[in-house]
Amino acid sequence: MNGKVVGVLGGGQLGRMMAASAALLNVNIVFLDVGENSPAKQIVSPRSPSLAHIDGSFIDPEKIKALASKVDILTVEIEHVDTSVLEEIQSASGVVIHPSPSTVKTIQDKFIQKQHLQSHLCPVSEFLRVESNVTSIQQTAEKLGLPFMLKSRTLAYDGRGNFVIRDITQAEEAISALGNRPLYAEKWVPFAKEIAVIVVRSTTGEVRSYPAVETVHKDNICHLVFAPLRSRDLHVAIRAQSIAEAAVKTFQGAGVFGVEMFLMEDGSIYINEIAPRPHNSGHYTIEACETSQYENHLRAILSLPLGSTSLKVSSAAMLNIIGASSNMAEVTNFASECIKTDSCAVHLYGKSECRKGRKMGHVTIVGNSDSEVRSRLRPLLKALPSGSTEEELAIYAPETPARDSGFSHKYPLVGVIMGSDSDLPVMLPAARILDRFKIPYELTIVSAHRTPDRLVEYARSASSRGLRTIIAGAGGAAHLPGMVAAMTALPVIGVPVKGSSLDGVDSLHSIVQMPRGIPVATVAINGGMNAGLLAVRILGAGIPHLFADMDAYLRGLEGEVIAKVEKLEEVGWDKYEVKR
């Protein structure tokens, strides 16, 4: 794009995906890693001898200098590099390094990283320096309480270098497991979810963040990522992006940063760790976002305009393919199952050897709803080489309720609510229409007058939970639709319910007389079916196949009428029986 040559320290799977983006932008990229066939080197063939990849370790000072001699810009795909060499190169040559060596140096020591974040008023949990002896660990337990997390300060990733101290008798075991490395401890954080935000920063200081996501770890390794983050608090995702952006602004240099965080039950957020590079939690951006994290990393360090970080799909999930043994066939067989799944992109990393716990690839599934994505994910979780428990399936990819089962979907697009169980006969036709069009929904009671707190919580959390429209049925004063519409940006369809007096006209008048600025769509009295059909049409604006489905439904109605016409002409109106 701008003629600059990019050099990358490390040539693993992150470099591989960065190389793919570089090829699309016609950016020359050179990798330093051991061997001629590392994952990244498989993707890009040197265009000339001067752009040949370098065989060697990314911590070897001479090899790093050799790479620097070939390129205009240096960056990293792993932070465990020799920063003193990078500082020397930066001061002695015209090579630009992103992110700054000082940033990498601060981040690669997790204790110093925590001190840095704390000094800039970023939210972190309590932490302490710990010596590698039993006495120091005992003193830490007295200060932080049990359990607490004992961590290696350096050379730790994918859960390696972490040890949970639940009982002080584990002190010697922890020291043995973590090895002879500097340690520190973190107060135990009883999080509700682990979340992450990918942030990209340009050479001019412009910062953009990708949507907040939920991350799920298994055996201390990233297992699943769900985008976007769903929460009952509308503001959690926005707050997570704000915290992540503020943290990245405290560092020097351009590129992508992965910010891992803990979300607490009360909605508070703590930063866990920051990576100064593209991150596993951002793999989903390749298929799900306007610009992938890898392309934006290159744009940032090359001083090109940053790309949009917005989602271009409604829902996405990333599943890591982790080696369960040394048997490579397990990985290839699993990938063969994945490519049979609709809207599932398979990424294999080209690693020559498989071993337990090694990241061998990943898949990303996209869809029109969380329900659709998780239904596609379920068989893949079952097919994993390491398998999945029924509990895991129930949490992350629950079985879709059978049509007409009478049970709500866990990840609905439509909320069907009513003020009383007596409204159920009117609202069931709406549910049956949604069943017919295979739209996930929830059906529940929310009373505007008897459960006002529940009403507020339901309305304000609706969009952040993934709902896209609400059907609200109410009789009498019929305040439910209007009150919900006043507290959510989602479209609300009101269904006037015929009561014991005034035949539902009071409810109809109440719903249609909403004040300016609070619109509620209204159907006929007891018009549950039409409310369901209107919800389908609303969703069709974002799910185009629903328009085709609706056309087919309307043709069916036409066919029913034509059949009646033909029957009437066949038997005569005197013998024609009207079905009610």
Side-chain angles (χ1 to χ4, degrees):
M1 291 289 288
N2 61 6
K4 301 289 187 181
V5 179
V6 175
V8 184
L9 276 66
Q13 64 263 23
L14 301 180
R16 183 183 181 91
M17 288 175 272
M18 196 187 304
S21 289
L24 293 175
L25 293 173
N26 203 31
V27 170
N28 289 318
I29 191 165
V30 182
F31 290 95
L32 166 59
D33 206 349
V34 175
E36 297 299 323
N37 203 37
S38 69
K41 292 177 182 178
Q42 297 169 22
I43 299 297
V44 179
S45 298
R47 299 180 184 180
S48 68
S50 65
L51 297 176
H53 302 304
I54 297 178
D55 182 2
S57 171
F58 51 74
I59 62 172
D60 184 331
E62 296 306 314
K63 296 293 185 179
I64 296 174
K65 291 177 182 178
L67 176 65
S69 70
K70 289 173 169 277
V71 304
D72 302 294
I73 299 170
L74 272 180
T75 190
V76 300
E77 67 118 49
I78 186 168
E79 59 267 35
H80 307 303
V81 298
D82 189 334
T83 55
S84 62
V85 178
L86 295 180
E87 289 170 340
E88 180 185 338
I89 292 169
Q90 188 177 53
S91 60
S93 71
V95 176
V96 176
I97 302 175
H98 287 299
S100 165
S102 63
T103 292
V104 178
K105 186 175 183 178
T106 296
I107 287 178
Q108 66 184 192
D109 185 322
K110 294 183 178 181
F111 180 72
I112 294 177
Q113 178 189 147
K114 278 287 198 294
Q115 288 181 315
H116 171 88
L117 293 170
Q118 187 181 60
S119 70
H120 286 85
L121 304 180
C122 297
V124 294
S125 62
E126 188 177 353
F127 61 96
L128 296 170
R129 186 195 304 268
V130 180
E131 301 299 327
S132 296
N133 60 65
V134 172
T135 301
S136 181
I137 292 175
Q138 289 175 333
Q139 292 172 344
T140 300
E142 292 172 1
K143 294 176 181 177
L144 297 183
L146 292 171
F148 68 86
M149 180 67 79
L150 189 63
K151 289 187 173 184
S152 171
R153 290 173 55 172
T154 59
L155 302 174
Y157 61 97
D158 285 345
R160 300 175 180 90
N162 293 354
F163 195 102
V164 180
I165 302 289
R166 301 185 185 279
D167 189 282
I168 201 60
T169 58
Q170 296 176 287
E172 290 187 0
E173 181 188 355
I175 293 169
S176 175
L178 297 176
N180 187 26
R181 288 186 285 180
L183 305 176
Y184 81 106
E186 293 179 0
K187 187 176 180 64
W188 187 257
V189 178
F191 57 83
K193 287 182 179 180
E194 292 182 270
I195 63 176
V197 172
I198 299 295
V199 178
V200 58
R201 184 181 186 183
S202 72
T203 53
T204 61
E206 179 189 0
V207 169
R208 294 186 181 186
S209 59
Y210 286 84
V213 300
E214 178 184 0
T215 61
V216 178
H217 291 74
K218 189 175 182 180
D219 299 326
N220 293 316
I221 301 175
C222 182
H223 176 44
L224 288 161
V225 174
F226 294 107
L229 172 67
R230 300 300 186 194
S231 170
R232 302 195 79 85
D233 184 343
L234 177 64
H235 304 292
V236 160
I238 297 171
R239 196 158 60 245
Q241 287 179 296
S242 177
I243 289 171
E245 289 181 8
V248 168
K249 287 178 181 177
T250 68
F251 294 103
Q252 299 298 313
V256 159
F257 294 76
V259 184
E260 296 181 276
M261 293 171 280
F262 297 126
L263 173 62
M264 310 301 284
E265 285 288 355
D266 64 1
S268 58
I269 296 171
Y270 293 103
I271 295 175
N272 178 21
E273 295 176 1
I274 296 179
R277 51 167 172 78
H279 193 260
N280 197 161
S281 65
H283 289 348
Y284 79 96
T285 61
I286 297 173
E287 285 78 26
C289 293
E290 298 288 350
T291 313
S292 78
Q293 65 166 340
Y294 301 100
E295 180 180 332
N296 252 341
H297 183 75
L298 292 169
R299 285 175 177 240
I301 65 176
L302 289 165
S303 298
L304 298 172
L306 297 182
S308 168
T309 55
S310 298
L311 280 170
K312 60 183 180 182
V313 297
S314 297
S315 181
M318 190 285 304
L319 170 64
N320 266 333
I321 304 174
I322 308 294
S325 69
S326 60
N327 186 359
M328 182 68 80
E330 293 178 343
V331 173
T332 55
N333 290 341
F334 176 71
S336 296
E337 288 299 313
C338 293
I339 61 175
K340 301 174 186 176
T341 302
D342 289 344
S343 302
C344 177
V346 179
H347 297 258
L348 295 178
Y349 299 154
K351 296 182 178 180
S352 58
E353 295 180 356
C354 182
R355 59 175 178 268
K356 184 177 175 60
R358 191 180 197 191
K359 292 177 178 176
M360 302 302 294
H362 77 269
V363 299
T364 299
I365 304 166
V366 299
N368 292 312
S369 67
D370 295 351
S371 179
E372 185 176 66
V373 166
R374 294 186 190 238
S375 67
R376 291 170 177 166
L377 175 64
R378 184 177 176 85
L380 302 189
L381 288 176
K382 287 183 174 181
L384 278 172
S386 58
S388 297
T389 66
E390 287 300 321
E391 181 181 8
E392 289 170 337
L393 292 172
I395 295 172
Y396 305 119
E399 201 162 5
T400 301
R403 183 174 172 178
D404 300 337
S405 67
F407 290 96
S408 295
H409 294 249
K410 187 173 180 180
Y411 300 99
L413 279 177
V414 179
V416 181
I417 59 175
M418 51 200 163
S420 168
D421 59 350
S422 62
D423 301 333
L424 184 58
V426 173
M427 303 306 290
L428 273 179
R432 296 296 170 249
I433 286 293
L434 297 174
D435 280 330
R436 179 169 183 162
F437 285 87
K438 298 181 180 177
I439 294 173
Y441 63 91
E442 63 184 11
L443 192 154
T444 189
I445 298 170
V446 179
S447 173
H449 303 115
R450 293 183 288 269
T451 59
D453 292 339
R454 174 171 165 77
L455 165 67
V456 171
E457 196 275 337
Y458 186 91
R460 289 183 173 167
S461 69
S463 63
S464 58
R465 289 194 296 116
L467 291 179
R468 288 297 168 262
T469 190
I470 296 172
I471 302 172
H479 290 153
L480 180 61
M483 291 301 296
V484 170
M487 289 181 281
T488 181
L490 298 180
V492 177
I493 303 167
V495 181
V497 176
K498 183 177 180 179
S500 57
S501 60
L502 300 180
D503 292 329
V505 174
D506 51 343
S507 306
L508 175 62
H509 286 175
S510 175
I511 295 172
V512 299
Q513 292 297 324
M514 288 303 298
R516 178 172 53 85
I518 311 295
V520 175
T522 311
V523 294
I525 297 167
N526 284 5
M529 175 179 285
N530 273 359
L533 290 167
L534 182 54
V536 175
R537 294 184 181 210
I538 290 171
L539 293 175
I543 308 175
H545 77 78
L546 289 178
F547 286 148
D549 295 343
M550 182 59 71
D551 282 338
Y553 175 82
L554 293 176
R555 287 195 300 272
L557 294 182
E558 181 184 19
E560 290 177 11
V561 173
I562 297 300
K564 292 175 182 178
V565 170
E566 293 172 350
K567 183 69 173 178
L568 185 61
E569 292 176 349
E570 177 187 346
V571 303
W573 60 266
D574 196 39
K575 297 181 179 179
Y576 186 86
E577 293 182 7
V578 179
K579 294 181 180 179
R580 297 187 181 278

